[in-house]
Amino acid sequence: MPRLIDLRRHDAVSHQTLLDGLYASPPQVPARYFYDELGSALFTAITHLPEYYPSQLEHEIFRRHARAMADLLPRKATLVDLGAGDGSKAGALLRWMHPAKYLAVDIAGECTQRSLQAIEADYPETEMMVLACDFSAGLAWPQHWRCERPVFFFPGSSIGNFSPRQARSFLRMLCQLCRSSPQGQGELLLGVDLVKEHHRLRAAYDDALGVTAAFNRNLLRHLNRVIGADFDVDRFHHLAVFNQEASRIEMWLHPDADQQVRWQQGGRVFHEGEGLLTECSHKYTTEGVRLLLASAGFDVQHEWLDDSRGYLVCHARSA
Ligand code: AVI
């Protein structure tokens, strides 16, 4: 069973960020609250939906090019999979790359650990470990851990869930970790969803089966548990809009009428017409990705696009 190191912070600080967001105007909730057990399962279901093209396009790129990518990466590397989930996205790389270590980082560490247990035997030359943490708030190595030849793997266009400014600081932080590795250098493989026809973007976040709607509304159930709130989940509906100015999909939960919601030591009215912002998913241009990486201290080495030019995988090296 891969070792699990738990660096999650169940502290007052992350709680306070959540409460500040709930009192803000418009109210908002950090996207990490999507991912309880059910939320993680619903997200996996989303990645199988025909409308959710990012997974399909990225999969196509890795299916075609994983071997070439692996050839470009250092031998005996440490593959650091950010938001590893069940480890399936890293599968194609693991197969060709044979890294010395595979460090799967995920907030739902136990789910990841269970998934890795099932595949561990297929990669006997790779030591597997799980780091349970909310890496969006920062990433630190476990004590005494030496990260040799780091290759950060950040697929799934999760970079899009940061604002452009947060994305830059996050990538800068990765670049610093590369520079502070024993070799003074490291690599990044980044998957990014690109701007495309609006109807296609919207459909990906508002699918016909309502799986994304369930994923969004499940966040309220999760809040009911973590802060003892009494959101009436049935009274909130899912909305996905493309904000062209900010080049991002926004997911909202709108109450069907004014809703008084209480939680431990607080509460507020969520007004009809005033939604709760649950997620932003920024969509980039190829040029935008290059600029972002350069501003964070990375040099782009290679780029791979799918046939429709809707999704980009970038290989960059810390400068
Ligand atoms: C995890 N992240 C990249 C997904 C996205 O596309 O922004 C989360 C998601 N939300 C709704 N569908 C998928």
Side-chain angles (χ1 to χ4, degrees):
M1 169 93 104
R3 189 150 65 97
L4 183 139
I5 299 176
D6 194 349
L7 297 180
R8 283 169 292 200
R9 289 151 49 99
H10 303 282
D11 58 19
V13 178
S14 51
H15 228 74
Q16 195 52 49
T17 312
L18 168 62
L19 294 178
D20 289 349
L22 285 173
Y23 285 118
S25 181
Q28 41 197 289
V29 177
R32 56 169 287 201
Y33 290 96
F34 282 128
Y35 301 98
D36 60 355
E37 285 256 0
L38 180 57
S40 300
L42 286 167
F43 179 66
T44 303
I46 287 174
T47 64
H48 294 290
L49 292 170
E51 293 95 332
Y52 194 70
Y53 63 83
S55 304
Q56 298 152 28
L57 302 188
E58 188 178 69
H59 183 73
E60 179 193 325
I61 294 173
F62 281 107
R63 191 180 52 75
R64 283 199 197 170
H65 303 290
R67 189 174 191 169
M69 290 175 189
D71 287 344
L72 296 164
L73 298 170
R75 308 282 135 212
K76 300 200 173 140
T78 304
L79 183 64
V80 185
D81 189 355
L82 299 167
D86 61 5
S88 57
K89 286 196 222 110
L93 273 181
L94 284 171
R95 182 165 163 228
W96 297 112
M97 204 181 143
H98 309 293
K101 288 181 182 159
Y102 173 57
L103 181 63
V105 188
D106 205 287
I107 185 79
E110 291 78 6
C111 299
T112 301
Q113 189 186 34
R114 278 198 299 276
S115 307
L116 293 197
Q117 192 182 6
I119 60 164
E120 198 177 25
D122 299 337
Y123 306 97
E125 64 281 77
T126 303
E127 182 194 340
M128 296 196 170
M129 235 170 85
V130 178
L131 191 61
C133 74
D134 173 15
F135 60 84
S136 65
L139 185 62
W141 303 130
Q143 270 187 348
H144 312 303
W145 161 268
R146 273 169 68 83
C147 189
E148 305 270 354
R149 297 171 205 84
V151 175
F152 287 101
F153 180 50
F154 197 27
S157 200
S158 296
I159 192 75
N161 296 133
F162 292 118
S163 70
R165 181 198 292 240
Q166 290 168 333
R168 192 176 55 230
S169 2
F170 181 74
L171 293 172
R172 272 196 186 141
M173 186 259 303
L174 295 187
C175 192
Q176 277 311 326
L177 286 172
C178 289
R179 288 174 182 155
S180 62
S181 71
Q183 291 73 29
Q185 201 182 50
E187 327 262 328
L188 170 69
L189 270 184
L190 179 71
V192 190
D193 190 19
L194 302 177
V195 190
K196 54 184 61 62
E197 309 87 336
H198 297 180
H199 69 91
R200 203 165 164 219
L201 285 169
R202 272 196 310 273
Y205 293 85
D206 196 6
D207 61 277
L209 284 180
V211 182
T212 309
F215 172 70
N216 198 9
R217 293 165 70 223
N218 177 61
L219 172 139
L220 298 180
R221 286 196 187 195
H222 191 195
L223 293 191
N224 284 349
R225 281 200 313 277
V226 293
I227 53 167
D230 63 354
F231 280 100
D232 187 347
V233 179
D234 283 347
R235 310 293 304 268
F236 286 81
H237 65 265
H238 165 73
L239 200 75
V241 289
F242 184 63
N243 176 336
Q244 186 155 9
E245 208 181 320
S247 192
R248 68 187 193 200
I249 284 279
E250 296 172 355
M251 292 214 311
W252 295 84
L253 285 166
H254 273 271
D256 61 6
D258 288 358
Q259 297 286 322
Q260 169 69 54
V261 180
R262 293 183 185 78
W263 48 82
Q264 286 152 8
Q265 295 144 11
R268 66 167 283 175
V269 175
F270 290 87
H271 293 286
E272 185 183 353
E274 183 192 32
L276 174 63
L277 180 62
T278 54
E279 185 175 60
C280 294
S281 197
H282 293 80
K283 307 299 169 187
Y284 285 85
T285 58
T286 307
E287 188 51 28
V289 176
R290 289 181 198 140
L291 290 172
L292 176 66
L293 285 167
S295 70
F298 281 104
D299 283 339
V300 174
Q301 306 288 310
H302 300 91
E303 293 174 345
W304 296 271
L305 285 158
D306 69 289
D307 286 344
S308 69
R309 307 182 77 76
Y311 198 91
L312 174 72
V313 174
C314 240
H315 168 217
R317 186 167 292 145
S318 60

PDB file of all heavy atoms in Angstrom, residues 225-248:
ATOM      1  N   ARG A 225     -22.283  19.666   6.122  1.00  0.00           N
ATOM      2  CA  ARG A 225     -21.516  18.831   7.068  1.00  0.00           C
ATOM      3  C   ARG A 225     -20.375  19.594   7.715  1.00  0.00           C
ATOM      4  O   ARG A 225     -20.226  19.555   8.930  1.00  0.00           O
ATOM      5  CB  ARG A 225     -20.956  17.598   6.357  1.00  0.00           C
ATOM      6  CG  ARG A 225     -21.955  16.482   6.137  1.00  0.00           C
ATOM      7  CD  ARG A 225     -21.240  15.170   5.893  1.00  0.00           C
ATOM      8  NE  ARG A 225     -20.169  15.293   4.926  1.00  0.00           N
ATOM      9  CZ  ARG A 225     -20.343  15.263   3.608  1.00  0.00           C
ATOM     10  NH1 ARG A 225     -21.571  15.126   3.103  1.00  0.00           N
ATOM     11  NH2 ARG A 225     -19.316  15.377   2.799  1.00  0.00           N
ATOM     12  N   VAL A 226     -19.594  20.333   6.894  1.00  0.00           N
ATOM     13  CA  VAL A 226     -18.370  20.901   7.483  1.00  0.00           C
ATOM     14  C   VAL A 226     -18.621  22.122   8.363  1.00  0.00           C
ATOM     15  O   VAL A 226     -17.870  22.362   9.296  1.00  0.00           O
ATOM     16  CB  VAL A 226     -17.247  21.214   6.454  1.00  0.00           C
ATOM     17  CG1 VAL A 226     -16.675  19.967   5.837  1.00  0.00           C
ATOM     18  CG2 VAL A 226     -17.678  22.186   5.395  1.00  0.00           C
ATOM     19  N   ILE A 227     -19.654  22.903   8.089  1.00  0.00           N
ATOM     20  CA  ILE A 227     -19.884  24.058   8.975  1.00  0.00           C
ATOM     21  C   ILE A 227     -21.257  23.983   9.658  1.00  0.00           C
ATOM     22  O   ILE A 227     -21.741  24.973  10.197  1.00  0.00           O
ATOM     23  CB  ILE A 227     -19.729  25.420   8.245  1.00  0.00           C
ATOM     24  CG1 ILE A 227     -20.595  25.480   6.978  1.00  0.00           C
ATOM     25  CG2 ILE A 227     -18.262  25.707   7.940  1.00  0.00           C
ATOM     26  CD1 ILE A 227     -20.723  26.883   6.416  1.00  0.00           C
ATOM     27  N   GLY A 228     -21.870  22.790   9.598  1.00  0.00           N
ATOM     28  CA  GLY A 228     -23.169  22.616  10.263  1.00  0.00           C
ATOM     29  C   GLY A 228     -24.217  23.564   9.691  1.00  0.00           C
ATOM     30  O   GLY A 228     -25.010  24.147  10.441  1.00  0.00           O
ATOM     31  N   ALA A 229     -24.199  23.745   8.347  1.00  0.00           N
ATOM     32  CA  ALA A 229     -25.161  24.655   7.708  1.00  0.00           C
ATOM     33  C   ALA A 229     -26.467  23.914   7.409  1.00  0.00           C
ATOM     34  O   ALA A 229     -26.540  22.680   7.530  1.00  0.00           O
ATOM     35  CB  ALA A 229     -24.560  25.209   6.421  1.00  0.00           C
ATOM     36  N   ASP A 230     -27.509  24.680   7.047  1.00  0.00           N
ATOM     37  CA  ASP A 230     -28.770  24.017   6.686  1.00  0.00           C
ATOM     38  C   ASP A 230     -29.244  24.453   5.292  1.00  0.00           C
ATOM     39  O   ASP A 230     -30.402  24.796   5.097  1.00  0.00           O
ATOM     40  CB  ASP A 230     -29.848  24.255   7.765  1.00  0.00           C
ATOM     41  CG  ASP A 230     -30.196  25.732   7.908  1.00  0.00           C
ATOM     42  OD1 ASP A 230     -29.538  26.576   7.261  1.00  0.00           O
ATOM     43  OD2 ASP A 230     -31.134  26.038   8.667  1.00  0.00           O
ATOM     44  N   PHE A 231     -28.294  24.444   4.336  1.00  0.00           N
ATOM     45  CA  PHE A 231     -28.686  24.719   2.942  1.00  0.00           C
ATOM     46  C   PHE A 231     -29.731  23.703   2.524  1.00  0.00           C
ATOM     47  O   PHE A 231     -29.539  22.494   2.716  1.00  0.00           O
ATOM     48  CB  PHE A 231     -27.477  24.564   2.006  1.00  0.00           C
ATOM     49  CG  PHE A 231     -26.549  25.737   1.981  1.00  0.00           C
ATOM     50  CD1 PHE A 231     -25.370  25.714   2.720  1.00  0.00           C
ATOM     51  CD2 PHE A 231     -26.845  26.861   1.207  1.00  0.00           C
ATOM     52  CE1 PHE A 231     -24.488  26.796   2.687  1.00  0.00           C
ATOM     53  CE2 PHE A 231     -25.965  27.940   1.174  1.00  0.00           C
ATOM     54  CZ  PHE A 231     -24.794  27.908   1.911  1.00  0.00           C
ATOM     55  N   ASP A 232     -30.827  24.179   1.940  1.00  0.00           N
ATOM     56  CA  ASP A 232     -31.837  23.284   1.376  1.00  0.00           C
ATOM     57  C   ASP A 232     -31.432  23.063  -0.094  1.00  0.00           C
ATOM     58  O   ASP A 232     -31.726  23.887  -0.964  1.00  0.00           O
ATOM     59  CB  ASP A 232     -33.207  23.964   1.494  1.00  0.00           C
ATOM     60  CG  ASP A 232     -34.332  23.034   1.083  1.00  0.00           C
ATOM     61  OD1 ASP A 232     -34.028  21.971   0.489  1.00  0.00           O
ATOM     62  OD2 ASP A 232     -35.498  23.371   1.339  1.00  0.00           O
ATOM     63  N   VAL A 233     -30.745  21.939  -0.327  1.00  0.00           N
ATOM     64  CA  VAL A 233     -30.096  21.703  -1.629  1.00  0.00           C
ATOM     65  C   VAL A 233     -31.112  21.773  -2.777  1.00  0.00           C
ATOM     66  O   VAL A 233     -30.805  22.268  -3.864  1.00  0.00           O
ATOM     67  CB  VAL A 233     -29.363  20.340  -1.606  1.00  0.00           C
ATOM     68  CG1 VAL A 233     -28.694  20.036  -2.933  1.00  0.00           C
ATOM     69  CG2 VAL A 233     -28.315  20.332  -0.490  1.00  0.00           C
ATOM     70  N   ASP A 234     -32.346  21.314  -2.519  1.00  0.00           N
ATOM     71  CA  ASP A 234     -33.384  21.300  -3.560  1.00  0.00           C
ATOM     72  C   ASP A 234     -33.757  22.694  -4.049  1.00  0.00           C
ATOM     73  O   ASP A 234     -34.345  22.838  -5.113  1.00  0.00           O
ATOM     74  CB  ASP A 234     -34.686  20.693  -2.997  1.00  0.00           C
ATOM     75  CG  ASP A 234     -34.579  19.199  -2.908  1.00  0.00           C
ATOM     76  OD1 ASP A 234     -33.624  18.654  -3.505  1.00  0.00           O
ATOM     77  OD2 ASP A 234     -35.436  18.592  -2.235  1.00  0.00           O
ATOM     78  N   ARG A 235     -33.469  23.699  -3.233  1.00  0.00           N
ATOM     79  CA  ARG A 235     -33.923  25.051  -3.576  1.00  0.00           C
ATOM     80  C   ARG A 235     -32.878  25.852  -4.365  1.00  0.00           C
ATOM     81  O   ARG A 235     -33.076  27.031  -4.640  1.00  0.00           O
ATOM     82  CB  ARG A 235     -34.293  25.844  -2.296  1.00  0.00           C
ATOM     83  CG  ARG A 235     -35.223  25.138  -1.339  1.00  0.00           C
ATOM     84  CD  ARG A 235     -36.607  24.943  -1.923  1.00  0.00           C
ATOM     85  NE  ARG A 235     -37.257  26.146  -2.357  1.00  0.00           N
ATOM     86  CZ  ARG A 235     -38.070  26.904  -1.609  1.00  0.00           C
ATOM     87  NH1 ARG A 235     -38.303  26.570  -0.352  1.00  0.00           N
ATOM     88  NH2 ARG A 235     -38.642  27.980  -2.109  1.00  0.00           N
ATOM     89  N   PHE A 236     -31.753  25.213  -4.680  1.00  0.00           N
ATOM     90  CA  PHE A 236     -30.691  25.903  -5.438  1.00  0.00           C
ATOM     91  C   PHE A 236     -30.509  25.210  -6.790  1.00  0.00           C
ATOM     92  O   PHE A 236     -30.424  23.975  -6.848  1.00  0.00           O
ATOM     93  CB  PHE A 236     -29.359  25.870  -4.679  1.00  0.00           C
ATOM     94  CG  PHE A 236     -29.317  26.814  -3.497  1.00  0.00           C
ATOM     95  CD1 PHE A 236     -29.891  26.448  -2.288  1.00  0.00           C
ATOM     96  CD2 PHE A 236     -28.723  28.063  -3.604  1.00  0.00           C
ATOM     97  CE1 PHE A 236     -29.866  27.322  -1.197  1.00  0.00           C
ATOM     98  CE2 PHE A 236     -28.686  28.934  -2.524  1.00  0.00           C
ATOM     99  CZ  PHE A 236     -29.264  28.560  -1.319  1.00  0.00           C
ATOM    100  N   HIS A 237     -30.467  25.987  -7.855  1.00  0.00           N
ATOM    101  CA  HIS A 237     -30.231  25.347  -9.153  1.00  0.00           C
ATOM    102  C   HIS A 237     -28.910  25.781  -9.776  1.00  0.00           C
ATOM    103  O   HIS A 237     -28.378  26.860  -9.486  1.00  0.00           O
ATOM    104  CB  HIS A 237     -31.414  25.511 -10.113  1.00  0.00           C
ATOM    105  CG  HIS A 237     -31.661  26.925 -10.504  1.00  0.00           C
ATOM    106  ND1 HIS A 237     -32.570  27.721  -9.851  1.00  0.00           N
ATOM    107  CD2 HIS A 237     -31.113  27.677 -11.473  1.00  0.00           C
ATOM    108  CE1 HIS A 237     -32.565  28.913 -10.406  1.00  0.00           C
ATOM    109  NE2 HIS A 237     -31.691  28.920 -11.385  1.00  0.00           N
ATOM    110  N   HIS A 238     -28.418  24.893 -10.617  1.00  0.00           N
ATOM    111  CA  HIS A 238     -27.098  25.042 -11.244  1.00  0.00           C
ATOM    112  C   HIS A 238     -27.169  25.941 -12.467  1.00  0.00           C
ATOM    113  O   HIS A 238     -28.109  25.858 -13.251  1.00  0.00           O
ATOM    114  CB  HIS A 238     -26.649  23.626 -11.656  1.00  0.00           C
ATOM    115  CG  HIS A 238     -25.517  23.593 -12.617  1.00  0.00           C
ATOM    116  ND1 HIS A 238     -24.233  23.903 -12.254  1.00  0.00           N
ATOM    117  CD2 HIS A 238     -25.462  23.255 -13.946  1.00  0.00           C
ATOM    118  CE1 HIS A 238     -23.428  23.761 -13.313  1.00  0.00           C
ATOM    119  NE2 HIS A 238     -24.147  23.376 -14.345  1.00  0.00           N
ATOM    120  N   LEU A 239     -26.167  26.799 -12.602  1.00  0.00           N
ATOM    121  CA  LEU A 239     -26.077  27.656 -13.782  1.00  0.00           C
ATOM    122  C   LEU A 239     -24.623  27.728 -14.224  1.00  0.00           C
ATOM    123  O   LEU A 239     -23.731  27.905 -13.384  1.00  0.00           O
ATOM    124  CB  LEU A 239     -26.553  29.063 -13.395  1.00  0.00           C
ATOM    125  CG  LEU A 239     -26.977  29.960 -14.530  1.00  0.00           C
ATOM    126  CD1 LEU A 239     -28.347  29.525 -15.057  1.00  0.00           C
ATOM    127  CD2 LEU A 239     -27.079  31.398 -14.028  1.00  0.00           C
ATOM    128  N   ALA A 240     -24.382  27.577 -15.527  1.00  0.00           N
ATOM    129  CA  ALA A 240     -23.022  27.718 -16.054  1.00  0.00           C
ATOM    130  C   ALA A 240     -23.058  28.790 -17.134  1.00  0.00           C
ATOM    131  O   ALA A 240     -23.858  28.709 -18.068  1.00  0.00           O
ATOM    132  CB  ALA A 240     -22.540  26.393 -16.646  1.00  0.00           C
ATOM    133  N   VAL A 241     -22.225  29.829 -16.986  1.00  0.00           N
ATOM    134  CA  VAL A 241     -22.201  30.902 -17.983  1.00  0.00           C
ATOM    135  C   VAL A 241     -20.763  31.146 -18.434  1.00  0.00           C
ATOM    136  O   VAL A 241     -19.824  30.930 -17.662  1.00  0.00           O
ATOM    137  CB  VAL A 241     -22.767  32.245 -17.427  1.00  0.00           C
ATOM    138  CG1 VAL A 241     -24.251  32.182 -17.215  1.00  0.00           C
ATOM    139  CG2 VAL A 241     -22.063  32.659 -16.144  1.00  0.00           C
ATOM    140  N   PHE A 242     -20.623  31.610 -19.687  1.00  0.00           N
ATOM    141  CA  PHE A 242     -19.274  31.981 -20.133  1.00  0.00           C
ATOM    142  C   PHE A 242     -19.129  33.488 -20.008  1.00  0.00           C
ATOM    143  O   PHE A 242     -19.886  34.246 -20.611  1.00  0.00           O
ATOM    144  CB  PHE A 242     -19.020  31.533 -21.578  1.00  0.00           C
ATOM    145  CG  PHE A 242     -17.603  31.820 -22.013  1.00  0.00           C
ATOM    146  CD1 PHE A 242     -16.522  31.206 -21.383  1.00  0.00           C
ATOM    147  CD2 PHE A 242     -17.338  32.730 -23.029  1.00  0.00           C
ATOM    148  CE1 PHE A 242     -15.204  31.483 -21.757  1.00  0.00           C
ATOM    149  CE2 PHE A 242     -16.023  33.005 -23.419  1.00  0.00           C
ATOM    150  CZ  PHE A 242     -14.954  32.379 -22.768  1.00  0.00           C
ATOM    151  N   ASN A 243     -18.193  33.919 -19.183  1.00  0.00           N
ATOM    152  CA  ASN A 243     -17.893  35.340 -19.006  1.00  0.00           C
ATOM    153  C   ASN A 243     -16.776  35.670 -19.996  1.00  0.00           C
ATOM    154  O   ASN A 243     -15.613  35.327 -19.782  1.00  0.00           O
ATOM    155  CB  ASN A 243     -17.448  35.566 -17.551  1.00  0.00           C
ATOM    156  CG  ASN A 243     -17.024  36.991 -17.281  1.00  0.00           C
ATOM    157  OD1 ASN A 243     -16.624  37.720 -18.192  1.00  0.00           O
ATOM    158  ND2 ASN A 243     -17.102  37.384 -16.019  1.00  0.00           N
ATOM    159  N   GLN A 244     -17.188  36.319 -21.095  1.00  0.00           N
ATOM    160  CA  GLN A 244     -16.242  36.524 -22.195  1.00  0.00           C
ATOM    161  C   GLN A 244     -15.104  37.466 -21.810  1.00  0.00           C
ATOM    162  O   GLN A 244     -13.946  37.243 -22.159  1.00  0.00           O
ATOM    163  CB  GLN A 244     -16.995  37.086 -23.406  1.00  0.00           C
ATOM    164  CG  GLN A 244     -16.121  37.195 -24.617  1.00  0.00           C
ATOM    165  CD  GLN A 244     -16.898  37.146 -25.904  1.00  0.00           C
ATOM    166  OE1 GLN A 244     -18.130  37.186 -25.902  1.00  0.00           O
ATOM    167  NE2 GLN A 244     -16.201  37.066 -27.013  1.00  0.00           N
ATOM    168  N   GLU A 245     -15.463  38.513 -21.069  1.00  0.00           N
ATOM    169  CA  GLU A 245     -14.448  39.500 -20.682  1.00  0.00           C
ATOM    170  C   GLU A 245     -13.309  38.848 -19.896  1.00  0.00           C
ATOM    171  O   GLU A 245     -12.136  39.121 -20.114  1.00  0.00           O
ATOM    172  CB  GLU A 245     -15.126  40.556 -19.820  1.00  0.00           C
ATOM    173  CG  GLU A 245     -14.469  41.899 -19.909  1.00  0.00           C
ATOM    174  CD  GLU A 245     -15.205  42.868 -19.002  1.00  0.00           C
ATOM    175  OE1 GLU A 245     -16.459  42.815 -18.958  1.00  0.00           O
ATOM    176  OE2 GLU A 245     -14.520  43.611 -18.306  1.00  0.00           O
ATOM    177  N   ALA A 246     -13.698  37.967 -18.963  1.00  0.00           N
ATOM    178  CA  ALA A 246     -12.687  37.309 -18.124  1.00  0.00           C
ATOM    179  C   ALA A 246     -12.221  35.990 -18.739  1.00  0.00           C
ATOM    180  O   ALA A 246     -11.389  35.304 -18.145  1.00  0.00           O
ATOM    181  CB  ALA A 246     -13.260  37.077 -16.729  1.00  0.00           C
ATOM    182  N   SER A 247     -12.783  35.624 -19.883  1.00  0.00           N
ATOM    183  CA  SER A 247     -12.461  34.372 -20.573  1.00  0.00           C
ATOM    184  C   SER A 247     -12.558  33.164 -19.636  1.00  0.00           C
ATOM    185  O   SER A 247     -11.618  32.382 -19.496  1.00  0.00           O
ATOM    186  CB  SER A 247     -11.061  34.456 -21.204  1.00  0.00           C
ATOM    187  OG  SER A 247     -10.897  33.371 -22.087  1.00  0.00           O
ATOM    188  N   ARG A 248     -13.738  33.050 -19.002  1.00  0.00           N
ATOM    189  CA  ARG A 248     -13.890  31.936 -18.063  1.00  0.00           C
ATOM    190  C   ARG A 248     -15.341  31.471 -17.982  1.00  0.00           C
ATOM    191  O   ARG A 248     -16.280  32.266 -18.134  1.00  0.00           O
ATOM    192  CB  ARG A 248     -13.398  32.325 -16.671  1.00  0.00           C
ATOM    193  CG  ARG A 248     -14.258  33.377 -16.003  1.00  0.00           C
ATOM    194  CD  ARG A 248     -13.658  33.875 -14.705  1.00  0.00           C
ATOM    195  NE  ARG A 248     -14.654  34.648 -13.945  1.00  0.00           N
ATOM    196  CZ  ARG A 248     -14.356  35.506 -12.997  1.00  0.00           C
ATOM    197  NH1 ARG A 248     -13.097  35.713 -12.651  1.00  0.00           N
ATOM    198  NH2 ARG A 248     -15.311  36.155 -12.359  1.00  0.00           N
TER     199      ARG A 248
END
